[in-house]
Amino acid sequence: VTSGTGRRPFQPTMAMKLYGPTGRSNRVKAVAGWTGVPLEQPPFTMGVTNRTPEFLAKNPFGKVPVLETPDGECIFESNAIARFLASSARSTLYPPAAVTRARIDAWMDAFNTLDCIGPLWFYPIVGIGADRGLTHDPANVAKAQATLRAFLAVLEAHLAGNTYLVGDAITLADVIGANALEVVYMSLMAPGDWAPYPATHRWLTTVYAQPKYLDSVGVVPPCQSVIAYSPEGPQPMPRPQTLMELWPAKRIRQTFLDYFESKGHTVVPSSPVVPHDDPTLLFANAGMNQFKAIFLGKADPKGPLAKLTRATDTQKCIRAGGKHNDLDDVGKDTYHHTFFEMLGNWSFGDFFKREAIYFAWELLTGVYNLPGENLYATYFGGDDAQGLPPDLEARDIWLELLPASKVLPFGCADNFWEMGDVGPCGPCTEIHYDRIGGRDASHLVNMDDPMCLEIWNVVFIQFNREEGGALKTLPKQHVDTGLGFERLASILQGKLSNYDTDIFLPIFAAIQKITGAPPYTGKLAPEDVGEKDMAYRVVADHIRTLTFAISDGAAPGSDGRDYVLRRVLRRAVRFGREKLGAKQGFFQKLVQTVVDLFGEVFPEIVKHQARVTAIIADEEESFGRTLVKGIDQFKKLAAAARAAGTDTVAGADAFLLWESFGFPVDLTEIMAEEIGMRVDSPGFETALKEAQEKSRAGGKKSGGVTLLFEAEATAWLARADVPTTDDAPKYADGTNPRAAVRAILTSGGFVQSTEGVAGPFGMVLDRTSFYAESGGQVCDTGVVKTGNGSLAVDEVKVAAGFVLHSGARVEGVVRVGDECDVLVDYERRGKIAPNHTMTHVLNLALRAVLGGEVDQKGSLNDDEKLRFDFSHNKAMTADEIKRVEVMVREQIGLKLAVDTREVALAEAKAISGLRAVFGEVYPDPVRVVSVGPKIDDLLATPGNPEWKNYSIEFCGGTHLANTGDAGEFVLLSEEGTAKGIRRITGATKGAAAAALITAAEVAARVKACDSLSGAELEKEMATLKGVVDTAVMPAVQRAEVRDLMTAQIAKMSAALKAAAAVAKASAVKAVGEQAEAAKAAGALYFVSRLGDGTDPAALKDAAAVAFKQGVACALFAADPVKGKAMCYVSVPPSVTGLDLKGWLDAACAPIEGKGGGGKGGTAQGQGNKLEGLAAAIAAADAIVGAEAAPEVKASVRLLIPKSQTGCLIGKGGIIINEMREQTGAQIRVCNKDQIPVCALQGDDMVQITGESS
């Protein structure tokens, strides 16, 4: 076979086509894998495809396999193909020395002896060749068996003294020979049959275990039971299993959970990836997040966490924002992800380092069967600066399993694990896996080398990192382990990339189908020309992140975790569109694939699939519009930079594009380069760091000194034998129990007395009626009063069963052991309870009106309002709000009893219609709050569908005894907080009544506008708009008032439009008359004040009339409603010697205005000093009346009757065309020769009775 004249030489990295699915194709796959030649296998049906003219042109014998080169040349016969591949790629499998090649060829040809095994023995058993007359014949079987035994004897003799067939390394002879014996190894010789051939068996298993053989062919399973011919039909034909088939992702995950369950661990579900009530985290970023309360000593003694000693799970994690942020690395390599699963197991004060390390070793090497010699372990080498010694205990345990060269010390950066800026932490030991093996890879450990990667981190939680960085020893030692699911899958499936596993390949297939892009090929830069493969990785990773995050309650938005998700989505959409040619709407179509892949393990994504899809579709469409706007914005920024004389886009501007339009800086750089500009990268980095600091700080509380009430404090109380607090009295409304002070906490620790100690103070009592903040309800306030002192309580916390009553200062002195009165502010609680109870009823009403898919996403109940967040994809209509409000009021009117009781968790969960907050951990027993039905009735018939019509929830809050006690209920507002999340605010009792009164007052004020008109109406409507927007009033009434205002505004707009038309017509007519009069009198200009309400457009049209007649004019008008004075000056070409701009400036100065224009002989201006209008007119008049004669002054009062019009006209004279009274106007009176004769200032009256007066 030659390349042909003029054709390009063969490149071994070019993809070739391999036709034929037979066993001999495996030897071609193996050699291709060894030589790095990518293969494509077109669909092929034996007996059909190989008989087509097209195939016979490739191989006239119609046999397989056949290899087709990129140039269309075809090679047949498997050994020939193997030689071609190995020699073309200059592979070590086929060294160039002629003698060595001859020996290899001899062995390859020798294995042809075994070709008879197929037709004589194996094919009839599995039903191959029946159409060619191949049938089972015991004589043929015996002949084939004899041939095999003779061959194996020769092979055994040779291999008894040699590791491989030719030389000291694997060659083509070994690959071809091992492939020739695959059928024998898998089907025809049981393990015991190999006893006479130990060297041959060792050789075979060595070749089959080679990573390149495993990658190319798969796992060759040994025969467990020899298959034999059956007259009943063909037997199943064993075949090599690919590593992906042997270790699919589902099996990997389940094997982990099953192993630790067998070691006494409780399998727990993953917590939501959106942390519930943990302000220190944007997202769950490690498996231990849900167990934080245990590590901090804050777990509810009645809750499920307190009962755990060992646990295991697969935790959904996101690292995109905050301290752990992998977003910008995703797509650039083969192992970074924003979403990933963390397989983990935990010990809570149970086993420690020895068991944890041995569990990990046994699972990896004994269950997953990873070679121990490929593993490396690291341990904490100590940190002198923090006074932390090396973890020699972990080191010594590892030395029992690994040689010292594979047990390596590292510092805090690598081997001291911390969840975040605060929280549990401790030394860790990491397990690293060398993908290549057979070498010393210790220098690659912790070097971010993809061929030697960390797979498992075993953390020994011994400390808690507190605010300020202090480390405190935890009261109990725990173990937290995390095994990267995606990385483990890549190892077990024999892939060098996490993205080449069955975790991602189905998503890639869906991307390719939806976008029509070329298939994924796994390339990295710089080979990934056009970043196609990077785009595949980005899109596949990000759709997983968004599907899980939105299912767990987050959504793309403008701040915090929602802003991070918006960035993730926009990054994916941009890569999909730019690099893969995807069309609008492609991204949301991938949700289905993610649900298909992971829905069985994480059923919540199945439940919320429709919502997830809708939110992503909406956000994707929105970004499509934003992308266009962003490109326009870039053009403006670039133009502004060039106008400023620079070729650099400022870093702050690049950050604006990144933050507001989703433009990564690399995209901005590309766009800048295309037009010969550059980006200020350091400036961008500065702006980015500032934003990252804000992201890290998101959700963290700030303020003064607060008392930490966590593991150290609760452990101290336990060691001091302080009993947990009996807080049952909190449910007995009005109770003020006597109690005793058992402990006093300060910022410096526990004290026996408050005397001489600075606050704040926290007191632990043996019993209390105070409610500690939880479940969306704020804590009680009040006083703890002893005989010698008192504490004003403004914060109440609970941890590990201890209730801490905190306040800023103590009046007098309080000591441990003092008896005290527990005095809750029940008046305040009386305002909180109805809000909490009505929140439950509101939840029921929302589901009834909006549908059962509504889920609670958060709540807040205090003494002023109730606030409820819920999942819903669009704003509620006014009608929906009204229906919800009416339903809640009906429940109040029915005066339903509110029943509460602790119930076994399993029994409570069985109640039909019961609602619980997703992600919340409930104690056992759990408190049930039922509005309407008796709990006895609920437990008697838990499956009764009628219960779905009532509010029944898990809740530990304080509630009303009867819904009627809420008195009144209103919904104050409804708004969106993020994509798919709505927030509704309401009020009860007095606050609701006050809101209704306010609404009635505002509505009455709007209706009173019917009697107003003109400027008075316009002014009142402007005031009312602000009132309606800010007043505390029900949302329904607010909408109704706005409807009334809309009608009034429409009426007012119509009136204003009509008035404007009248004013315009009047202005045009008056100016026309005045221009004619001036022209007739030989005047070149005049100054005139037109009627109030004459708008700029009317001034312009009126001035145009004088302009056409060749007369210059300065026109003035007032807008009393807006408080503006307007001026329009016009100087036609025929009037010379008059400075247009100077005239306008003189007129604008008294009204403190600015002007513009000047082209075409016109200019206009306006100012906010309405009282300066008379002076402005006088100033304009002075410009054109400089030659005035001596004036005779008189005091007059000028009155123009409404039935008359009139004017005083002259050179520089003022023209009056208003039908209204003017007081204080200065009037210049001229004689018939246009010479001013007097100035009149109003005290006296002059009557003007006609146009000629």
Side-chain angles (χ1 to χ4, degrees):
V1 179
T2 64
S3 64
T5 303
R7 293 186 180 179
R8 61 183 177 177
F10 163 67
Q11 298 293 327
T13 56
M14 297 177 182
M16 300 191 183
K17 294 179 181 179
L18 177 63
Y19 297 92
T22 65
R24 285 181 176 267
S25 298
N26 284 346
R27 66 182 60 175
V28 177
K29 292 179 187 177
V31 176
W34 242 287
T35 56
V37 176
L39 293 177
E40 298 176 10
Q41 286 194 272
F44 198 96
T45 303
M46 288 299 296
V48 178
T49 308
N50 58 317
R51 295 176 181 176
T52 63
E54 292 80 8
F55 185 81
L56 291 173
K58 303 177 190 300
N59 181 355
F61 299 103
K63 293 182 178 182
V64 292
V66 169
L67 184 76
E68 184 175 355
T69 71
D71 293 321
E73 299 288 357
C74 294
I75 309 164
F76 52 87
E77 292 297 337
S78 59
N79 284 358
I81 297 171
R83 292 186 184 98
F84 166 72
L85 290 173
S87 58
S88 299
R90 296 182 175 88
S91 169
T92 56
L93 288 178
Y94 204 45
V99 172
T100 303
R101 285 196 171 186
R103 294 175 61 201
I104 292 172
D105 290 343
W107 275 108
M108 291 171 64
D109 292 342
F111 278 99
N112 291 336
T113 304
L114 302 178
D115 286 352
C116 67
I117 292 175
L120 296 181
W121 181 6
F122 181 67
Y123 291 170
I125 296 175
V126 296
I128 295 176
D131 58 338
R132 304 198 307 271
L134 292 180
T135 59
H136 175 68
D137 183 341
N140 287 339
V141 172
K143 182 177 179 181
Q145 289 174 338
T147 300
L148 175 61
R149 286 193 296 271
F151 187 88
L152 290 177
V154 174
L155 193 58
E156 179 67 19
H158 178 75
L159 290 171
N162 297 281
T163 303
Y164 300 107
L165 294 176
V166 178
D168 297 326
I170 288 180
T171 66
L172 206 54
D174 299 293
V175 176
I176 299 303
N179 173 258
L181 284 167
E182 272 184 12
V183 165
V184 174
Y185 185 82
M186 292 188 295
S187 308
L188 303 177
M189 288 181 65
D193 298 334
W194 289 97
Y197 316 107
T200 302
H201 187 266
R202 183 263 309 153
W203 166 76
L204 268 181
T205 56
T206 299
V207 176
Y208 292 153
Q210 294 301 306
K212 291 182 179 179
Y213 201 98
L214 291 170
D215 290 345
S216 305
V217 177
V219 176
V220 181
C223 175
Q224 299 301 319
S225 177
V226 175
I227 62 172
Y229 175 76
S230 172
E232 296 181 1
Q235 299 297 304
M237 182 170 65
R239 62 178 181 83
Q241 282 186 295
T242 66
L243 291 173
M244 191 176 295
E245 292 171 329
L246 184 65
W247 282 110
K250 183 177 179 181
R251 183 188 177 199
I252 295 171
R253 184 191 293 112
Q254 195 59 48
T255 296
F256 182 92
L257 299 175
D258 290 346
Y259 172 82
F260 281 106
E261 187 174 28
S262 74
K263 301 297 182 181
H265 291 58
T266 300
V267 178
V268 298
S270 170
S271 66
V273 78
V274 177
H276 180 77
D277 196 26
D278 188 345
T280 66
L281 290 175
L282 284 174
F283 299 101
N285 57 21
M288 61 78 62
N289 293 153
Q290 67 171 310
F291 305 114
K292 186 176 177 181
I294 299 177
F295 301 138
L296 294 176
K298 297 172 67 175
D300 184 344
K302 298 179 181 178
L305 290 180
K307 301 173 184 177
L308 287 175
T309 56
R310 301 183 180 193
T312 185
D313 80 346
T314 178
Q315 171 66 45
K316 302 172 293 185
C317 298
I318 289 179
R319 290 186 178 174
K323 181 175 180 179
H324 301 285
N325 182 6
D326 290 340
L327 177 58
D328 293 332
D329 293 321
V330 170
K332 297 176 182 177
D333 55 36
T334 61
Y335 52 90
H336 275 102
H337 309 287
T338 55
F339 174 86
F340 59 95
E341 287 183 59
M342 185 65 78
L343 301 170
N345 74 292
W346 291 268
S347 164
F348 307 114
D350 187 6
F351 64 81
F352 204 44
K353 296 182 182 180
R354 173 168 293 277
E355 295 88 341
I357 291 173
Y358 268 85
F359 284 155
W361 177 264
E362 181 181 43
L363 177 59
L364 291 176
T365 62
V367 179
Y368 289 131
N369 296 318
L370 293 179
E373 58 270 20
N374 286 35
L375 297 177
Y376 293 78
T378 68
Y379 67 94
F380 180 52
D383 188 307
D384 293 337
Q386 298 190 59
L388 296 172
D391 189 357
L392 301 181
E393 181 183 0
R395 181 201 65 181
D396 293 343
I397 296 170
W398 274 117
L399 290 176
E400 298 171 12
L401 301 168
L402 289 170
S405 61
K406 294 189 176 184
V407 181
L408 311 170
F410 286 89
C412 280
D414 296 302
N415 279 80
F416 195 88
W417 189 91
E418 302 192 57
M419 183 182 67
D421 295 332
V422 297
C425 56
C428 64
T429 179
E430 295 176 344
I431 303 173
H432 295 249
Y433 182 79
D434 177 20
R435 292 182 184 274
I436 296 175
R439 61 175 182 164
D440 179 8
S442 58
H443 63 288
L444 298 177
V445 172
N446 278 333
M447 296 302 293
D448 204 27
D449 189 311
M451 302 308 292
C452 185
L453 70 165
E454 175 200 343
I455 57 172
W456 204 337
N457 192 2
V458 181
V459 181
F460 307 119
I461 298 180
Q462 298 173 237
F463 307 105
N464 186 60
R465 177 80 68 182
E466 301 187 346
E467 295 284 358
L471 284 175
K472 298 290 185 179
T473 302
L474 289 169
K476 290 185 178 180
Q477 296 177 325
H478 311 290
V479 172
D480 160 31
T481 84
L483 173 60
F485 174 60
E486 289 79 5
R487 292 189 178 189
L488 178 62
S490 72
I491 292 170
L492 292 177
Q493 294 181 8
K495 304 298 181 182
L496 297 182
S497 164
N498 296 356
Y499 291 96
D500 289 337
T501 66
D502 62 347
I503 298 172
F504 287 96
L505 291 180
I507 305 178
F508 288 163
I511 293 171
Q512 200 276 329
K513 181 179 179 181
I514 291 169
T515 65
Y520 178 73
T521 54
K523 294 179 180 178
L524 299 173
E527 286 77 17
D528 183 21
V529 178
E531 296 183 333
K532 168 183 68 72
D533 289 341
M534 180 179 178
Y536 266 101
R537 291 187 288 269
V538 167
V539 172
D541 172 87
H542 291 4
I543 191 61
R544 296 204 314 157
T545 297
L546 287 154
T547 300
F548 281 97
I550 296 173
S551 294
D552 284 354
S558 58
D559 55 33
R561 65 173 61 98
D562 296 338
Y563 173 64
V564 173
L565 292 180
R566 175 165 285 169
R567 281 192 59 214
V568 170
L569 184 142
R570 290 181 171 186
R571 187 171 188 257
V573 170
R574 184 180 68 82
F575 268 93
R577 291 188 184 181
E578 290 184 6
K579 311 299 182 182
L580 301 176
K583 299 293 189 291
Q584 169 71 41
F586 85 97
F587 197 49
Q588 53 94 10
K589 296 177 183 177
L590 297 171
V591 174
Q592 181 65 58
T593 303
V594 176
V595 171
D596 291 343
L597 281 173
F598 304 102
E600 183 179 348
V601 183
F602 305 107
E604 59 273 13
I605 66 174
V606 179
K607 177 182 178 182
H608 297 292
Q609 179 179 352
R611 175 173 169 268
V612 172
T613 303
I615 288 175
I616 290 178
D618 182 55
E619 186 73 13
E620 185 178 359
E621 181 181 359
S622 173
F623 180 50
R625 297 189 296 268
T626 301
L627 197 61
V628 174
K629 293 178 182 177
I631 293 172
D632 291 341
Q633 181 69 17
F634 171 79
K635 291 178 179 177
K636 292 177 182 178
L637 293 172
R642 280 188 164 157
T646 179
D647 64 351
T648 301
V649 177
D653 291 338
F655 179 75
L656 171 69
L657 290 170
W658 176 82
E659 182 181 43
S660 299
F661 300 97
F663 275 43
V665 70
D666 56 349
L667 174 60
T668 305
E669 287 172 344
I670 291 170
M671 294 172 66
E673 288 171 5
E674 290 173 351
I675 58 173
M677 298 184 72
R678 56 182 290 274
V679 173
D680 173 18
S681 297
F684 172 82
E685 291 298 329
T686 299
L688 177 61
K689 286 179 181 178
E690 292 175 358
Q692 288 173 335
E693 288 302 318
K694 292 180 181 178
S695 175
R696 290 190 186 100
K700 291 186 178 181
K701 295 181 180 179
S702 61
V705 177
T706 58
L707 294 175
L708 287 175
F709 195 52
E710 296 181 343
E712 184 184 10
T714 57
W716 187 94
L717 293 169
R719 289 195 300 269
D721 293 326
V722 175
T724 56
T725 306
D726 174 14
D727 63 351
K730 69 186 178 185
Y731 295 126
D733 204 33
T735 301
N736 294 315
R738 288 285 291 174
V741 179
R742 296 303 187 192
I744 301 173
L745 179 64
T746 70
S747 56
F750 285 95
V751 297
Q752 290 297 305
S753 170
T754 63
E755 188 172 11
V757 181
F761 299 97
M763 297 183 184
V764 176
L765 312 180
D766 60 349
R767 63 198 308 256
T768 186
S769 53
F770 276 86
Y771 179 84
E773 181 172 355
S774 63
Q777 180 177 328
V778 297
C779 67
D780 284 333
T781 59
V783 177
V784 173
K785 187 174 183 180
T786 71
N788 297 311
S790 64
L791 173 71
V793 177
D794 55 29
E795 184 178 31
V796 185
K797 301 176 182 178
V798 62
F802 299 101
V803 178
L804 186 75
H805 308 71
S806 300
R809 64 182 59 85
V810 167
E811 297 294 336
V813 176
V814 177
R815 294 179 173 84
V816 173
D818 284 352
E819 296 291 316
C820 61
D821 290 317
V822 182
L823 305 174
V824 171
D825 182 350
Y826 282 111
E827 181 179 353
R828 177 174 175 272
R829 187 195 280 188
K831 298 175 182 178
I832 299 171
N835 287 338
H836 199 161
T837 303
M838 288 306 104
T839 297
H840 286 215
V841 178
L842 173 62
N843 192 358
L844 172 72
L846 286 169
R847 284 183 285 128
V849 173
L850 302 181
E853 291 302 310
V854 168
D855 274 333
Q856 179 176 344
K857 295 301 179 183
S859 66
L860 173 66
N861 300 290
D862 59 27
D863 54 336
E864 295 179 349
K865 65 186 178 302
L866 62 90
R867 192 179 75 199
F868 188 77
D869 294 350
F870 60 98
S871 59
H872 193 54
N873 287 334
K874 56 186 177 181
M876 293 176 67
T877 65
D879 178 66
E880 288 171 338
I881 294 173
K882 187 172 184 178
R883 286 164 58 198
V884 168
E885 191 175 72
V886 167
M887 185 172 175
V888 175
R889 286 178 176 170
E890 287 174 350
Q891 298 269 300
I892 293 173
L894 290 172
K895 297 184 177 180
L896 300 173
V898 180
D899 196 12
T900 63
R901 188 199 306 175
E902 285 193 345
V903 177
L905 186 59
E907 289 184 75
K909 285 183 175 180
I911 298 172
S912 175
L914 184 140
R915 302 291 287 183
V917 178
F918 177 68
E920 182 68 88
V921 177
Y922 293 99
D924 188 6
V926 64
R927 190 164 182 262
V928 176
V929 177
S930 173
V931 180
K934 296 278 188 185
I935 292 179
D936 284 339
D937 296 336
L938 298 178
L939 297 177
T941 57
N944 186 345
E946 180 66 18
W947 305 145
K948 293 182 179 179
N949 299 321
Y950 294 93
S951 170
I952 307 166
E953 297 191 21
F954 292 158
C955 182
T958 59
H959 287 274
L960 299 173
N962 188 290
T963 58
D965 295 337
E968 186 56 87
F969 175 82
V970 294
L971 291 177
L972 299 174
S973 65
E974 191 273 348
E975 61 186 348
T977 61
K979 288 286 184 183
I981 305 295
R982 308 299 300 176
R983 170 171 290 173
I984 205 161
T985 304
T988 60
K989 297 187 81 171
L996 288 168
I997 291 172
T998 299
E1001 291 173 347
V1002 175
R1005 190 170 166 183
V1006 173
K1007 290 177 181 177
C1009 289
D1010 289 340
S1011 62
L1012 303 178
S1013 62
E1016 193 176 8
L1017 174 60
E1018 190 173 357
K1019 186 175 182 179
E1020 175 68 355
M1021 292 304 292
T1023 302
L1024 277 171
K1025 183 181 185 302
V1027 172
V1028 173
D1029 288 344
T1030 58
V1032 178
M1033 57 192 294
V1036 171
Q1037 280 80 354
R1038 194 188 308 274
E1040 292 172 350
V1041 168
R1042 282 177 173 154
D1043 288 343
L1044 289 174
M1045 289 184 64
T1046 299
Q1048 283 286 5
I1049 290 170
K1051 177 182 174 182
M1052 183 177 69
S1053 297
L1056 289 173
K1057 187 175 181 181
V1062 171
K1064 179 178 179 180
S1066 176
V1068 169
K1069 179 182 177 184
V1071 171
E1073 292 173 349
Q1074 294 158 15
E1076 289 177 3
K1079 194 173 182 181
L1084 299 177
Y1085 19 70
F1086 63 90
V1087 178
S1088 177
R1089 174 172 175 170
L1090 303 180
D1092 288 357
T1094 303
D1095 60 27
L1099 287 174
K1100 178 181 178 182
D1101 289 350
V1105 174
F1107 191 92
K1108 288 180 181 178
Q1109 296 191 38
V1111 179
C1113 64
L1115 306 180
F1116 294 85
D1119 186 340
V1121 175
K1122 296 180 180 178
K1124 291 186 179 296
M1126 293 167 287
C1127 174
Y1128 198 98
V1129 297
S1130 168
V1131 180
S1134 59
V1135 177
T1136 60
L1138 181 57
D1139 180 8
L1140 175 72
K1141 190 167 188 314
W1143 202 14
L1144 178 67
D1145 291 344
C1148 285
I1151 60 175
E1152 296 180 357
K1154 293 183 179 180
K1159 294 183 179 179
T1162 62
Q1164 58 184 327
Q1166 64 177 358
N1168 295 321
K1169 189 176 180 181
L1170 190 58
E1171 63 272 21
L1173 187 57
I1177 293 170
D1181 178 50
I1183 291 292
V1184 294
E1187 69 277 24
E1191 297 179 351
V1192 178
K1193 294 186 177 180
S1195 290
V1196 300
R1197 190 168 183 221
L1198 177 65
L1199 173 67
I1200 305 174
K1202 291 186 178 181
S1203 60
Q1204 301 278 339
T1205 62
C1207 64
L1208 299 173
I1209 185 170
K1211 184 178 181 182
I1214 191 165
I1215 296 174
I1216 301 168
N1217 63 356
E1218 298 177 88
M1219 296 183 289
R1220 72 181 185 86
E1221 181 176 325
Q1222 285 195 11
T1223 301
Q1226 182 167 335
I1227 306 302
R1228 179 162 301 189
V1229 182
C1230 307
N1231 63 17
K1232 65 178 182 178
D1233 296 320
Q1234 318 306 320
I1235 302 300
V1237 295
C1238 69
L1240 310 177
Q1241 185 72 36
D1243 275 332
D1244 295 334
M1245 182 177 290
V1246 172
Q1247 187 75 27
I1248 302 177
T1249 58
E1251 293 183 5
S1252 60
S1253 299

